[in-house]
Amino acid sequence: MEITNQIIEKHGLKIDEFENIKKLLKRKPNLLELGIFSAMWNEHCSYKSSKIHLKKLPTKGKQVIQGPGENAGVIDIGDDDAIIFKIESHNHPSYIEPYQGAATGVGGILRDVFTMGARPIALLNSIHFGSPNHSKTKSLLNGVVSGIGGYGNCIGIPTVAGETKFNETYNENILVNAMAVGHAKKDKIFYSKAEGLNKSVVYVGSKTGRDGIHGASMASAEFDENSEEKKPTVQVGDPFTEKLLMEACLELMKDKSIISIQDMGAAGLTSSSVEMASKGNLGIELELDKVPCREENMSPYEIMLSESQERMLLILEDGKEKQAKKIFEKWDLDFVVIGKTTDTNNLTLKFNDKIMGEIPIEALASKAPLYDREWIKKKPKKNKINLKDLKKIKIEEALMKILSSPNHSNKSWVTNQYDQSVMCDTVQKSGSDAAIIRIHNKEKAIAVSVDSSANYCNSHPITGGKQIVCENWRNLITVGAKPIAITNCLNFGNPENKEVMGEFAECLEGIKEACEFLNYPVVSGNVSFYNGTNKKNIYPTPVIGGVGLIKKLFKPIGHGFKKEKNNLILIGKTFGHLGQSCFLKENYAINEGMPPDVNLLNEKNNGECLLKMIEKNLVLSAHDVSNGGLITALAEMTLPYGYGAKIQKPKKLNNSIKYFFGEDQARYIVEIDEKNLSDTEKLLKENNIYYENIGFTQKEYFEIEGELKISTKDLFKINNQWYNNY
């Protein structure tokens, strides 16, 4: 078949990239080889537009065992225990086919974790939809949530935390980011690097079908009015088969049979084989007619580019094939030796004893395009909001609008579709600042949280990048966990757009600064570009997934008030920043101004001091102050158990709106028993932490001196009314 410009374009390649392919091969590629280059050189697999910037992120730390570059990141939590975790996007597939797109996103991230020898113990997600009033939002929301719940519930892994947000910027391009966390022993971690010559390359798991072909390439292009036609590129998941695959892999990992193992995710057999060979500086030869197929007459092109789910590629030690085969047959899974490692440094593809393709591994990996794309700095939105110019609103009315808005309303209608307690180690589930999962049969636990802030990042990317790392860090602190490391999913528009590339570069600069200062390294992640439709890009939306350690778990710290007549302390200074605030968004439909400043020194000092307070058992409940400001955080603390609060206004208060709704950073609200007040204040003073005594907990009512008084039952009703009516 003649390779035309149209065929090249259909494969997502530029003409100059095709010319480079010819130089690397010293000839024209055939269609199979072109498809393989398309799969490996697309944005999703090669990171060709982001790699230069990603290298700037801090990736090392005392507790980091494995940083970026493997299937998932690995951290040391002591006692020979390791936590393995990663977050990835499945945005495009979920928009095209919401149920299967979301489900296979969960399946894919789980494979990344158990491929490395970990038993998954928790799932999280960050899902973003367009306006609730948009014609597609309700069906997309229902499909995605059902897909996440359906896959996680069936495979038996708890979905313990996440976020569900709405914004017009996602009307034609939703975001579905899935995170998985697993537990392993430090001496039982498996990697993807191929080693040794003439070693058996083994295909295990489900059979290969025609679903998902060009899935990775589809994820590396913008949508247009024809996006519905891309449904065949969406994979189809089977959680029951994945459960069998997981158990079979973990059983095989108990002995010394596996040299390397790789999930067949994006780009399927192509990426898994190339990545293994590339890391080991080896060649690999595959006999494609031996690949188990569920459809008749599949071509080498289809076999190599299929993204059928629930499949793995293994390289085994000599003589271990028979034993390994028994394990996989016991679990009713395919086990076929389809090739071997070689010293050619080529990817050699055979079909019925004929060589169908031969490509240097380095041409697909190390010599893939690497772009330092031109970018421009985003002009900050320095609009100053003058409250005097706005229609006057009472504090109570403003709070009610925030609590009843789609983004702040109770999301139990989402989380109730997820099994959060299966495996019996979930100590604190969704609804808190962070979820807590006990390490099985041990006193210690981990805390996990995912966070994003698109409005802040859109207004000022550097500040927004810093802020979202800090918010994630605070969320772990409030439950008594020491933050260890993060994974990130970087969702942006078209990188060929200078402004979008500028948003990316600046957001990463902010993430870098915050991670370095807080000693909070990035150990894994994913970049998702081309999130846009018809040249309209989404807001920059980096999502941060954090993991922290609780060395000795006693009674978990949640954000709900525990009892009446306890002291309430606000840690951190309040300046009354309203730019990009929920107050303006929900009450006036205004998205103006700069986001609040991020003082990293205050973030570090305030957070570490709070952690000391929790470790000394001085704190009954804690909640960070973020979107919606102080008043919203206080109202949220009344909801879990129905205890209210009586809040005193500062004696010198110039503006109540700014004080109660300002979104200044590095702040926490803590509930302190009277008997612990003196020790608490002493510790705060010793650490030079600014704090205010703002009031007391009480029964039944949430009250602010001279401003509002409302029953906690009414607050609960208001917080639940949006989803009841949607």
Side-chain angles (χ1 to χ4, degrees):
M1 175 188 278
E2 184 185 355
I3 307 297
T4 64
N5 287 354
Q6 187 178 8
I7 290 173
I8 295 167
E9 186 179 338
K10 196 172 180 179
H11 280 77
L13 293 164
K14 309 290 187 187
I15 298 300
D16 62 331
E17 291 177 335
F18 181 73
E19 292 300 318
N20 194 23
I21 290 169
K22 289 195 296 183
K23 288 179 183 177
L24 290 167
L25 291 178
K26 298 178 181 177
R27 59 177 171 82
K28 288 184 179 180
N30 59 35
L31 186 63
L32 171 60
E33 292 168 331
L34 183 73
I36 288 169
F37 272 104
S38 167
M40 294 305 299
W41 282 18
N42 65 58
E43 199 72 57
H44 191 78
C45 293
S46 74
Y47 292 82
K48 58 189 177 185
S49 298
S50 59
K51 194 174 285 186
I52 288 173
H53 298 278
L54 293 172
K55 288 179 179 178
K56 300 173 184 176
L57 294 174
T59 59
K60 296 179 179 178
K62 287 183 180 180
Q63 291 171 265
V64 177
I65 297 173
Q66 175 65 54
E70 269 295 338
N71 286 296
V74 187
I75 57 173
D76 186 347
I77 60 167
D79 307 315
D80 295 320
D81 291 314
I83 294 296
I84 298 176
F85 64 104
K86 189 182 183 183
I87 190 170
E88 278 205 342
S89 62
H90 232 221
N91 304 334
H92 286 57
S94 299
Y95 182 78
I96 295 168
E97 215 306 301
Y99 184 94
Q100 290 296 347
T104 52
V106 173
I109 199 65
L110 282 171
R111 290 195 300 279
D112 281 341
V113 166
F114 72 74
T115 298
M116 297 193 70
R119 179 168 291 281
I121 59 175
L123 287 163
L124 301 87
N125 57 76
S126 174
I127 51 180
H128 294 68
F129 300 91
S131 166
N133 301 321
H134 190 269
S135 59
K136 293 182 180 179
T137 295
K138 190 173 285 190
S139 64
L140 289 169
L141 176 65
N142 287 334
V144 166
V145 171
S146 297
I148 292 171
Y151 206 100
N153 296 351
C154 289
I155 199 171
I157 311 295
T159 302
V160 298
E163 58 177 9
T164 303
K165 293 185 175 182
F166 301 89
N167 191 304
E168 296 85 354
T169 190
Y170 311 111
N171 278 350
E172 303 295 335
N173 202 123
I174 63 173
L175 302 183
V176 177
N177 295 179
M179 177 176 169
V181 183
H183 170 239
K185 290 295 179 181
K186 285 196 306 185
D187 61 347
K188 287 290 184 179
I189 297 169
F190 292 79
Y191 299 94
S192 58
K193 180 182 178 182
E195 292 181 308
L197 294 177
N198 296 310
K199 302 296 183 182
S200 295
V201 178
V202 184
Y203 175 115
V204 299
S206 289
K207 288 179 169 56
T208 295
R210 290 188 170 96
D211 55 316
I213 294 173
H214 293 304
S217 298
M218 177 269 293
S220 303
E222 287 184 323
F223 282 150
D224 55 30
E225 60 277 359
N226 300 314
S227 60
E228 294 293 322
E229 296 175 5
K230 297 178 180 179
K231 280 191 177 182
T233 64
V234 179
Q235 311 90 333
V236 178
D238 180 354
F240 299 105
T241 300
E242 178 129 333
K243 171 69 173 173
L244 302 177
L245 180 62
M246 178 176 71
E247 297 300 340
C249 288
L250 292 174
E251 184 176 341
L252 183 61
M253 288 168 172
K254 290 178 181 178
D255 67 18
K256 296 182 179 180
S257 298
I258 298 174
I259 295 173
S260 73
I261 179 169
Q262 179 69 44
D263 160 43
M264 291 192 216
L269 185 54
T270 291
S271 64
S272 56
S273 57
V274 170
E275 286 172 16
M276 292 169 97
S278 173
K279 290 173 182 176
N281 196 28
L282 293 170
I284 195 163
E285 181 180 292
L286 301 177
E287 297 181 65
L288 300 181
D289 50 301
K290 293 182 178 180
V291 173
C293 295
R294 64 170 181 259
E295 299 183 48
E296 293 183 358
N297 301 317
M298 287 190 67
S299 68
Y301 181 97
E302 292 170 323
I303 291 168
M304 286 301 293
L305 297 181
S306 167
E307 294 185 8
S308 295
Q309 299 289 284
E310 294 83 41
R311 304 179 299 158
M312 292 282 189
L313 203 62
L314 312 178
I315 296 177
L316 297 181
E317 293 283 6
D318 294 339
K320 296 291 186 177
E321 294 88 350
K322 190 175 179 180
Q323 177 188 345
K325 188 174 183 178
K326 279 185 181 179
I327 292 173
F328 282 87
E329 286 183 341
K330 180 184 78 172
W331 291 99
D332 199 25
L333 295 166
D334 280 306
F335 178 101
V336 184
V337 178
I338 65 167
K340 63 183 180 181
T341 58
T342 70
D343 61 359
T344 64
N345 292 105
N346 289 338
L347 174 66
T348 304
L349 304 174
K350 292 183 174 181
F351 193 75
N352 295 332
D353 293 325
K354 291 183 180 178
I355 293 179
M356 308 302 290
E358 190 153 23
I359 307 171
I361 292 290
E362 65 175 8
L364 297 168
S366 61
K367 291 192 175 180
L370 185 61
Y371 297 133
D372 186 3
R373 295 195 184 276
E374 191 176 348
W375 59 275
I376 56 177
K377 196 176 181 72
K378 190 154 188 172
K379 293 180 181 178
K381 295 183 177 181
K382 292 184 177 180
N383 316 50
K384 287 189 177 180
I385 293 91
N386 191 341
L387 291 178
K388 294 179 181 178
D389 296 335
L390 302 175
K391 185 180 177 183
K392 198 170 181 180
I393 188 170
K394 292 183 178 179
I395 284 179
E396 182 173 344
E397 182 186 352
L399 176 62
M400 300 307 109
K401 283 190 176 181
I402 291 173
L403 290 180
S404 62
S405 68
N407 282 320
H408 283 83
S409 66
N410 188 322
K411 300 294 192 310
S412 58
W413 54 276
V414 170
T415 57
N416 286 345
Q417 296 185 54
Y418 308 147
D419 190 334
Q420 301 184 64
S421 302
V422 63
M423 300 176 73
C424 300
D425 283 319
T426 307
V427 177
Q428 189 160 279
K429 49 192 181 181
S430 57
S432 299
D433 287 343
I436 300 174
I437 304 98
R438 183 187 295 106
I439 302 301
H440 197 64
N441 289 331
K442 296 194 175 182
E443 289 185 322
K444 63 185 174 185
I446 59 166
V448 290
S449 180
V450 291
D451 300 280
S452 62
S453 186
N455 275 358
Y456 286 1
C457 291
N458 184 58
S459 173
H460 195 256
I462 292 179
T463 302
K466 286 193 283 190
Q467 186 274 335
I468 201 58
V469 171
C470 291
E471 183 173 348
N472 183 267
W473 195 78
R474 291 197 301 269
N475 284 337
L476 299 181
I477 293 278
T478 60
V479 299
K482 181 185 178 186
I484 298 176
I486 68 168
T487 180
N488 57 38
C489 195
L490 306 172
N491 307 277
F492 289 79
N494 189 333
E496 298 166 52
N497 180 306
K498 294 178 185 179
E499 291 184 357
V500 170
M501 204 62 217
E503 292 170 346
F504 181 81
E506 290 192 281
C507 271
L508 250 67
E509 179 61 32
I511 292 170
K512 169 184 173 290
E513 285 184 31
C515 287
E516 285 180 341
F517 198 93
L518 299 174
N519 192 24
Y520 201 26
V522 182
V523 297
S524 61
N526 169 238
V527 177
S528 176
F529 277 135
Y530 296 98
N531 290 290
T533 299
N534 293 325
K535 310 298 181 183
K536 188 175 181 180
N537 297 294
I538 65 162
Y539 283 179
T541 313
V543 175
I544 303 296
V547 177
L549 176 64
I550 302 172
K551 287 185 178 180
K552 200 165 186 177
L553 183 65
F554 296 105
K555 194 174 181 181
I557 302 290
H559 74 272
F561 293 140
K562 298 298 189 297
K563 63 178 185 178
E564 62 179 321
K565 297 181 181 179
N566 285 333
N567 295 270
L568 296 177
I569 291 176
L570 172 63
I571 295 173
K573 282 189 178 182
T574 299
F575 300 98
H577 186 92
L578 290 177
Q580 297 297 323
S581 66
C582 291
F583 171 79
L584 292 176
K585 168 74 174 172
E586 302 301 342
N587 289 284
Y588 300 98
I590 293 175
N591 286 322
E592 300 292 342
M594 291 278 286
D597 288 334
V598 176
N599 186 312
L600 292 173
L601 182 61
N602 287 343
E603 289 283 2
K604 187 177 176 63
N605 290 344
N606 293 357
E608 289 180 347
C609 185
L610 175 55
L611 199 56
K612 290 176 185 176
M613 291 162 59
I614 293 172
E615 289 170 349
K616 291 178 179 291
N617 204 27
L618 299 173
V619 178
L620 289 170
S621 68
H623 192 22
D624 82 307
V625 181
S626 54
N627 291 343
L630 172 61
I631 193 171
T632 304
L634 285 164
E636 289 170 347
M637 296 179 82
T638 73
L639 297 172
Y641 307 117
Y643 287 105
K646 188 171 185 178
I647 305 302
Q648 303 145 354
K649 292 194 294 188
K651 291 179 180 178
K652 295 181 180 179
L653 182 60
N654 294 324
N655 191 300
S656 294
I657 292 290
K658 287 185 176 182
Y659 181 79
F660 285 110
F661 292 98
E663 296 182 4
D664 308 293
Q665 303 292 289
R667 294 186 296 161
Y668 305 85
I669 301 164
V670 292
E671 179 188 5
I672 308 292
D673 192 296
E674 180 68 30
K675 66 182 182 186
N676 293 324
L677 182 61
S678 175
D679 288 341
T680 300
E681 291 185 323
K682 183 181 177 184
L683 188 61
L684 288 163
K685 289 172 182 175
E686 286 174 351
N687 287 273
N688 295 314
I689 304 299
Y690 181 90
Y691 72 95
E692 297 175 36
N693 297 89
I694 60 172
F696 303 88
T697 57
Q698 63 179 10
K699 285 185 177 179
E700 298 181 3
Y701 288 95
F702 177 52
E703 186 176 355
I704 294 177
E705 177 188 5
E707 296 288 354
L708 70 86
K709 185 175 182 180
I710 185 170
S711 73
T712 54
K713 288 181 179 178
D714 285 341
L715 275 178
F716 184 83
K717 288 178 183 176
I718 290 162
N719 192 233
N720 282 269
Q721 71 180 20
W722 181 78
Y723 83 87
N724 283 333
N725 296 327
Y726 189 55

PDB file of all heavy atoms in Angstrom, residues 78 130 141 145 198 264 314-315 345 388 410 432 588 626 660 687 698 713:
ATOM      1  N   GLY A  78       8.300   2.322  55.669  1.00  0.00           N
ATOM      2  CA  GLY A  78       8.876   1.659  56.824  1.00  0.00           C
ATOM      3  C   GLY A  78       8.438   0.218  56.984  1.00  0.00           C
ATOM      4  O   GLY A  78       7.477  -0.251  56.369  1.00  0.00           O
ATOM      5  N   GLY A 130     -18.981  19.609  32.280  1.00  0.00           N
ATOM      6  CA  GLY A 130     -19.398  20.948  31.882  1.00  0.00           C
ATOM      7  C   GLY A 130     -20.506  21.482  32.775  1.00  0.00           C
ATOM      8  O   GLY A 130     -20.794  20.941  33.855  1.00  0.00           O
ATOM      9  N   LEU A 141     -22.274  12.437  33.093  1.00  0.00           N
ATOM     10  CA  LEU A 141     -22.086  12.240  34.528  1.00  0.00           C
ATOM     11  C   LEU A 141     -22.553  10.851  34.951  1.00  0.00           C
ATOM     12  O   LEU A 141     -21.826  10.117  35.637  1.00  0.00           O
ATOM     13  CB  LEU A 141     -22.850  13.321  35.295  1.00  0.00           C
ATOM     14  CG  LEU A 141     -22.866  13.229  36.821  1.00  0.00           C
ATOM     15  CD1 LEU A 141     -21.478  13.422  37.398  1.00  0.00           C
ATOM     16  CD2 LEU A 141     -23.815  14.275  37.408  1.00  0.00           C
ATOM     17  N   VAL A 145     -19.790   7.969  36.249  1.00  0.00           N
ATOM     18  CA  VAL A 145     -19.901   7.486  37.626  1.00  0.00           C
ATOM     19  C   VAL A 145     -20.246   5.994  37.643  1.00  0.00           C
ATOM     20  O   VAL A 145     -19.682   5.221  38.426  1.00  0.00           O
ATOM     21  CB  VAL A 145     -20.936   8.315  38.416  1.00  0.00           C
ATOM     22  CG1 VAL A 145     -21.207   7.689  39.775  1.00  0.00           C
ATOM     23  CG2 VAL A 145     -20.444   9.751  38.591  1.00  0.00           C
ATOM     24  N   ASN A 198      17.354 -14.360  24.393  1.00  0.00           N
ATOM     25  CA  ASN A 198      16.560 -15.555  24.097  1.00  0.00           C
ATOM     26  C   ASN A 198      15.625 -15.937  25.250  1.00  0.00           C
ATOM     27  O   ASN A 198      15.322 -17.121  25.437  1.00  0.00           O
ATOM     28  CB  ASN A 198      17.464 -16.735  23.729  1.00  0.00           C
ATOM     29  CG  ASN A 198      18.232 -16.469  22.441  1.00  0.00           C
ATOM     30  OD1 ASN A 198      17.653 -16.070  21.430  1.00  0.00           O
ATOM     31  ND2 ASN A 198      19.553 -16.692  22.490  1.00  0.00           N
ATOM     32  N   MET A 264      -0.282  -4.044  29.001  1.00  0.00           N
ATOM     33  CA  MET A 264      -0.618  -3.609  27.650  1.00  0.00           C
ATOM     34  C   MET A 264      -1.696  -2.542  27.750  1.00  0.00           C
ATOM     35  O   MET A 264      -2.889  -2.822  27.683  1.00  0.00           O
ATOM     36  CB  MET A 264      -1.114  -4.785  26.805  1.00  0.00           C
ATOM     37  CG  MET A 264      -0.047  -5.805  26.476  1.00  0.00           C
ATOM     38  SD  MET A 264      -0.621  -6.967  25.211  1.00  0.00           S
ATOM     39  CE  MET A 264       0.167  -8.474  25.780  1.00  0.00           C
ATOM     40  N   LEU A 314       4.950 -10.580  29.648  1.00  0.00           N
ATOM     41  CA  LEU A 314       5.943 -11.026  30.614  1.00  0.00           C
ATOM     42  C   LEU A 314       7.209 -11.477  29.901  1.00  0.00           C
ATOM     43  O   LEU A 314       7.156 -11.994  28.777  1.00  0.00           O
ATOM     44  CB  LEU A 314       5.433 -12.218  31.435  1.00  0.00           C
ATOM     45  CG  LEU A 314       4.050 -12.177  32.074  1.00  0.00           C
ATOM     46  CD1 LEU A 314       3.787 -13.509  32.785  1.00  0.00           C
ATOM     47  CD2 LEU A 314       3.954 -11.048  33.052  1.00  0.00           C
ATOM     48  N   ILE A 315       8.325 -11.312  30.553  1.00  0.00           N
ATOM     49  CA  ILE A 315       9.563 -11.972  30.154  1.00  0.00           C
ATOM     50  C   ILE A 315       9.976 -12.855  31.321  1.00  0.00           C
ATOM     51  O   ILE A 315      10.113 -12.384  32.451  1.00  0.00           O
ATOM     52  CB  ILE A 315      10.661 -10.967  29.788  1.00  0.00           C
ATOM     53  CG1 ILE A 315      10.227 -10.161  28.557  1.00  0.00           C
ATOM     54  CG2 ILE A 315      11.979 -11.681  29.524  1.00  0.00           C
ATOM     55  CD1 ILE A 315      11.201  -9.081  28.141  1.00  0.00           C
ATOM     56  N   ASN A 345      18.546  -5.277  18.855  1.00  0.00           N
ATOM     57  CA  ASN A 345      18.048  -3.940  19.196  1.00  0.00           C
ATOM     58  C   ASN A 345      16.945  -3.469  18.246  1.00  0.00           C
ATOM     59  O   ASN A 345      16.715  -2.277  18.078  1.00  0.00           O
ATOM     60  CB  ASN A 345      19.180  -2.906  19.218  1.00  0.00           C
ATOM     61  CG  ASN A 345      20.140  -3.137  20.366  1.00  0.00           C
ATOM     62  OD1 ASN A 345      21.232  -3.623  20.132  1.00  0.00           O
ATOM     63  ND2 ASN A 345      19.740  -2.840  21.593  1.00  0.00           N
ATOM     64  N   LYS A 388     -18.199  47.549  46.655  1.00  0.00           N
ATOM     65  CA  LYS A 388     -19.179  48.632  46.646  1.00  0.00           C
ATOM     66  C   LYS A 388     -19.937  48.718  45.324  1.00  0.00           C
ATOM     67  O   LYS A 388     -21.042  49.251  45.264  1.00  0.00           O
ATOM     68  CB  LYS A 388     -18.490  49.961  46.944  1.00  0.00           C
ATOM     69  CG  LYS A 388     -17.915  50.060  48.355  1.00  0.00           C
ATOM     70  CD  LYS A 388     -17.213  51.393  48.576  1.00  0.00           C
ATOM     71  CE  LYS A 388     -16.632  51.461  49.996  1.00  0.00           C
ATOM     72  NZ  LYS A 388     -15.886  52.758  50.224  1.00  0.00           N
ATOM     73  N   ASN A 410     -23.644  18.395  48.516  1.00  0.00           N
ATOM     74  CA  ASN A 410     -23.333  17.025  48.915  1.00  0.00           C
ATOM     75  C   ASN A 410     -23.217  16.126  47.679  1.00  0.00           C
ATOM     76  O   ASN A 410     -24.090  16.110  46.821  1.00  0.00           O
ATOM     77  CB  ASN A 410     -24.448  16.519  49.833  1.00  0.00           C
ATOM     78  CG  ASN A 410     -24.122  15.184  50.449  1.00  0.00           C
ATOM     79  OD1 ASN A 410     -23.548  14.302  49.835  1.00  0.00           O
ATOM     80  ND2 ASN A 410     -24.489  15.019  51.705  1.00  0.00           N
ATOM     81  N   SER A 432     -14.313  13.496  53.735  1.00  0.00           N
ATOM     82  CA  SER A 432     -13.318  14.169  54.563  1.00  0.00           C
ATOM     83  C   SER A 432     -12.272  14.819  53.666  1.00  0.00           C
ATOM     84  O   SER A 432     -12.278  14.649  52.450  1.00  0.00           O
ATOM     85  CB  SER A 432     -12.666  13.157  55.510  1.00  0.00           C
ATOM     86  OG  SER A 432     -13.623  12.585  56.366  1.00  0.00           O
ATOM     87  N   TYR A 588     -22.396  36.233  42.017  1.00  0.00           N
ATOM     88  CA  TYR A 588     -22.423  37.278  40.993  1.00  0.00           C
ATOM     89  C   TYR A 588     -21.995  36.784  39.610  1.00  0.00           C
ATOM     90  O   TYR A 588     -21.919  37.591  38.681  1.00  0.00           O
ATOM     91  CB  TYR A 588     -21.514  38.440  41.410  1.00  0.00           C
ATOM     92  CG  TYR A 588     -21.911  39.104  42.709  1.00  0.00           C
ATOM     93  CD1 TYR A 588     -21.274  38.760  43.897  1.00  0.00           C
ATOM     94  CD2 TYR A 588     -22.923  40.056  42.747  1.00  0.00           C
ATOM     95  CE1 TYR A 588     -21.639  39.350  45.092  1.00  0.00           C
ATOM     96  CE2 TYR A 588     -23.297  40.657  43.939  1.00  0.00           C
ATOM     97  CZ  TYR A 588     -22.656  40.296  45.107  1.00  0.00           C
ATOM     98  OH  TYR A 588     -23.019  40.899  46.299  1.00  0.00           O
ATOM     99  N   SER A 626     -10.314  26.557  52.260  1.00  0.00           N
ATOM    100  CA  SER A 626      -9.976  26.700  50.844  1.00  0.00           C
ATOM    101  C   SER A 626     -11.128  27.374  50.112  1.00  0.00           C
ATOM    102  O   SER A 626     -11.525  28.491  50.487  1.00  0.00           O
ATOM    103  CB  SER A 626      -9.626  25.334  50.234  1.00  0.00           C
ATOM    104  OG  SER A 626     -10.643  24.383  50.456  1.00  0.00           O
ATOM    105  N   PHE A 660     -15.005  36.506  56.019  1.00  0.00           N
ATOM    106  CA  PHE A 660     -15.625  35.191  56.053  1.00  0.00           C
ATOM    107  C   PHE A 660     -15.549  34.432  54.719  1.00  0.00           C
ATOM    108  O   PHE A 660     -15.570  33.209  54.711  1.00  0.00           O
ATOM    109  CB  PHE A 660     -17.083  35.298  56.516  1.00  0.00           C
ATOM    110  CG  PHE A 660     -17.221  35.544  57.989  1.00  0.00           C
ATOM    111  CD1 PHE A 660     -17.671  36.777  58.463  1.00  0.00           C
ATOM    112  CD2 PHE A 660     -16.885  34.569  58.901  1.00  0.00           C
ATOM    113  CE1 PHE A 660     -17.777  37.016  59.823  1.00  0.00           C
ATOM    114  CE2 PHE A 660     -16.989  34.797  60.273  1.00  0.00           C
ATOM    115  CZ  PHE A 660     -17.435  36.026  60.728  1.00  0.00           C
ATOM    116  N   ASN A 687       6.019  27.909  68.115  1.00  0.00           N
ATOM    117  CA  ASN A 687       6.359  27.763  66.706  1.00  0.00           C
ATOM    118  C   ASN A 687       6.076  29.020  65.883  1.00  0.00           C
ATOM    119  O   ASN A 687       6.126  28.985  64.645  1.00  0.00           O
ATOM    120  CB  ASN A 687       5.598  26.574  66.114  1.00  0.00           C
ATOM    121  CG  ASN A 687       6.140  25.233  66.584  1.00  0.00           C
ATOM    122  OD1 ASN A 687       7.063  24.688  66.008  1.00  0.00           O
ATOM    123  ND2 ASN A 687       5.552  24.704  67.659  1.00  0.00           N
ATOM    124  N   GLN A 698     -21.344  24.209  69.483  1.00  0.00           N
ATOM    125  CA  GLN A 698     -22.589  24.188  70.249  1.00  0.00           C
ATOM    126  C   GLN A 698     -23.552  23.215  69.585  1.00  0.00           C
ATOM    127  O   GLN A 698     -23.315  22.701  68.494  1.00  0.00           O
ATOM    128  CB  GLN A 698     -23.213  25.579  70.335  1.00  0.00           C
ATOM    129  CG  GLN A 698     -23.637  26.169  68.993  1.00  0.00           C
ATOM    130  CD  GLN A 698     -24.267  27.550  69.139  1.00  0.00           C
ATOM    131  OE1 GLN A 698     -24.245  28.168  70.180  1.00  0.00           O
ATOM    132  NE2 GLN A 698     -24.839  28.073  68.079  1.00  0.00           N
ATOM    133  N   LYS A 713     -29.667  21.291  60.882  1.00  0.00           N
ATOM    134  CA  LYS A 713     -30.572  20.498  60.047  1.00  0.00           C
ATOM    135  C   LYS A 713     -30.904  21.232  58.751  1.00  0.00           C
ATOM    136  O   LYS A 713     -30.952  20.627  57.681  1.00  0.00           O
ATOM    137  CB  LYS A 713     -31.852  20.170  60.813  1.00  0.00           C
ATOM    138  CG  LYS A 713     -31.666  19.143  61.925  1.00  0.00           C
ATOM    139  CD  LYS A 713     -32.984  18.841  62.617  1.00  0.00           C
ATOM    140  CE  LYS A 713     -32.791  17.789  63.720  1.00  0.00           C
ATOM    141  NZ  LYS A 713     -34.068  17.509  64.440  1.00  0.00           N
TER     142      LYS A 713
END
